[in-house]
Amino acid sequence: MTEVVLGVCGGIAAYKACELLRLFTESGHGVRVVPTASALQFVGAPTWAALSGRPVTTEVWDDVHEVPHVRIGRAAELVVVAPATADILAKAAHGIADDLLTNTLLTATCPVVYAPAMHTEMWENAATRANVATLRSRGAIVIEPAVGRLTGKDTGKGRLPDPAEIFSYAVRVLRAAAQDLAGRHVVVTAGGTREPLDPVRFLGNRSSGKQGYALARAALARGAKVTLIAANVALPDPAGADLIQVGTTEELRKATVDAAASADVVVMAAAPADFRPATVAEQKIKKTDDGLPAPIVLVTNPDIAAELGAAKRPGQVLVAFAAETHDALEHARAKLRKKRADLIVVNEVGVDRVFGQDRNTVTVLGADGSTDELEELSKDDVADRIFDHVVVRLDAQVGHVGHPDYTSAKPVFDN
């Protein structure tokens, strides 16, 4: 049983930590809740004790014979502070230890994850930004707050990320053997683009974005700075990612090309529409008297992955995806060459198959001739396996401009 410390600070979002606690305990983790005195103004100690099944205190003087200010931090395998206020970030950055939580933070040698929640002005204040930079420089993980409704009528950046997303992020941190993407910028695309026919209708696909979001979470947990470019996705924002929302393939292309300019890794998990209508009707297309619709002329959309492959910098790794309905490996190998990718992830898709599901079965093909056939796994586990391949190529600095030599390559991951 993994030992988790859940630090809770005095913000209105403290009540959301109850849901985070439930997610930890129901998945088999042992959780010690360490609230601040201010947090208990929002949610009382009996609630935390009942949900965790463990004693709750804010003072180093309680049960002093057990030396809790040292023991709790030493025993922890993960510390999550949610919500993390500007006050706790400042205290942690400057080594202040004036209650049980701040003492625990000083004694913990495990990964520490802060999930900030505060008003936008507080988050953007120069002092808070400096404190966050200090904590990150020391190896702490400070995830970016979400954008949305704050206290009262205010909205902006500073909202506590969805508890399920914080939990998912924390689990990935626990699983990550090392922060092997620390200092790397990873760009992930997700979802399916939509090409308008008229103000009401569009041409699109069934992609849910779940695999792309899993990839973003995996990269974050492994220490990367992540830019997530999402096309028409109805999922909670992955905690810590810089989210860019797009609609059409051209919007996806522009955002991805811009982000790729500073990226070490680009993962093209989105499903861009291959075609778009040649013209978009300004008004809703009506049925004709004879019931026969006018033909819709389609034109081909740009191949974003191929454009990125042609412009790939030395050391940059490009991962393409191939969702096929038949002859999947044959089509994927052709796409791997055409797009000049380092890796291509291929799976067979269809109605009620992969799209919108939580599990996936894929094969990862490498430009070096490697083949890794993955059994059915959760999409989170698939994401980690993909990044295992990415890290190998980053370490070897395989990414390069130009077409790989496929003729002499030999498989290294054959199953």
Side-chain angles (χ1 to χ4, degrees), residues 357-414:
Q357 305 299 311
D358 294 324
R359 301 182 68 80
N360 206 349
T361 303
V362 307
T363 299
V364 183
L365 304 177
D368 57 1
S370 61
T371 300
D372 188 11
E373 296 181 4
L374 306 186
E375 68 278 14
E376 183 181 287
L377 298 168
S378 71
K379 289 186 174 179
D380 282 321
D381 287 336
V382 168
D384 266 329
R385 292 286 291 270
I386 291 170
F387 277 116
D388 288 344
H389 288 275
V390 168
V391 168
V392 169
R393 283 155 178 78
L394 282 173
D395 289 345
Q397 291 292 290
V398 169
H400 56 81
V401 176
H403 199 292
D405 178 7
Y406 293 88
T407 59
S408 61
K410 297 199 179 290
V412 294
F413 289 112
D414 278 344

Side-chain angles (χ1 to χ4, degrees), residues 63 67 195 238 316 359 374 383 415:
D63 299 319
V67 199
E195 307 297 336
Q316 188 180 57
R359 301 182 68 80
L374 306 186
N415 287 346

Side-chain angles (χ1 to χ4, degrees), residues 75-163:
E77 295 172 77
L78 176 70
V79 177
V80 180
V81 184
T85 59
D87 181 64
I88 199 69
L89 295 175
K91 288 180 177 179
H94 291 86
I96 296 172
D98 59 359
D99 64 3
L100 188 56
L101 177 56
T102 49
N103 274 270
T104 298
L105 292 171
L106 276 182
T107 56
T109 57
C110 62
V112 179
V113 177
Y114 295 90
M118 63 196 74
H119 264 69
T120 306
E121 293 83 0
M122 299 174 72
W123 174 250
E124 294 177 348
N125 186 278
T128 302
R129 303 309 299 161
N131 292 332
V132 169
T134 296
L135 290 170
R136 286 173 172 167
S137 71
R138 295 172 183 163
I141 302 168
V142 185
I143 63 181
E144 293 291 312
V147 176
R149 184 73 175 269
L150 305 174
T151 305
K153 298 181 179 179
D154 294 340
T155 59
K157 189 169 187 176
R159 182 182 176 89
L160 185 72
D162 186 276

Side-chain angles (χ1 to χ4, degrees), residues 8 14-16 18 35-36 38-48 51:
V8 184
Y15 75 94
K16 295 183 179 179
C18 295
T36 64
S38 296
L40 296 182
Q41 297 294 316
F42 293 94
V43 181
T47 298
W48 299 120
L51 292 175

Side-chain angles (χ1 to χ4, degrees), residues 246-325:
V246 297
T248 66
T249 298
E250 180 53 36
E251 290 172 354
L252 177 66
R253 188 201 71 80
K254 183 179 185 308
T256 306
V257 169
D258 288 347
S262 63
D264 299 288
V265 182
V266 181
V267 185
M268 294 293 298
D274 292 327
F275 310 100
R276 70 180 186 274
T279 59
V280 180
E282 294 183 358
Q283 297 179 334
K284 180 181 176 182
I285 300 171
K286 297 292 186 179
K287 293 180 180 178
T288 59
D289 291 339
D290 59 9
L292 298 175
I296 297 173
V297 178
L298 300 178
V299 296
T300 302
N301 269 324
D303 188 328
I304 304 171
E307 181 178 350
L308 295 172
K312 185 153 58 73
R313 305 187 315 275
Q316 188 180 57
V317 175
L318 174 63
V319 182
F321 271 66
E324 304 291 346
T325 58

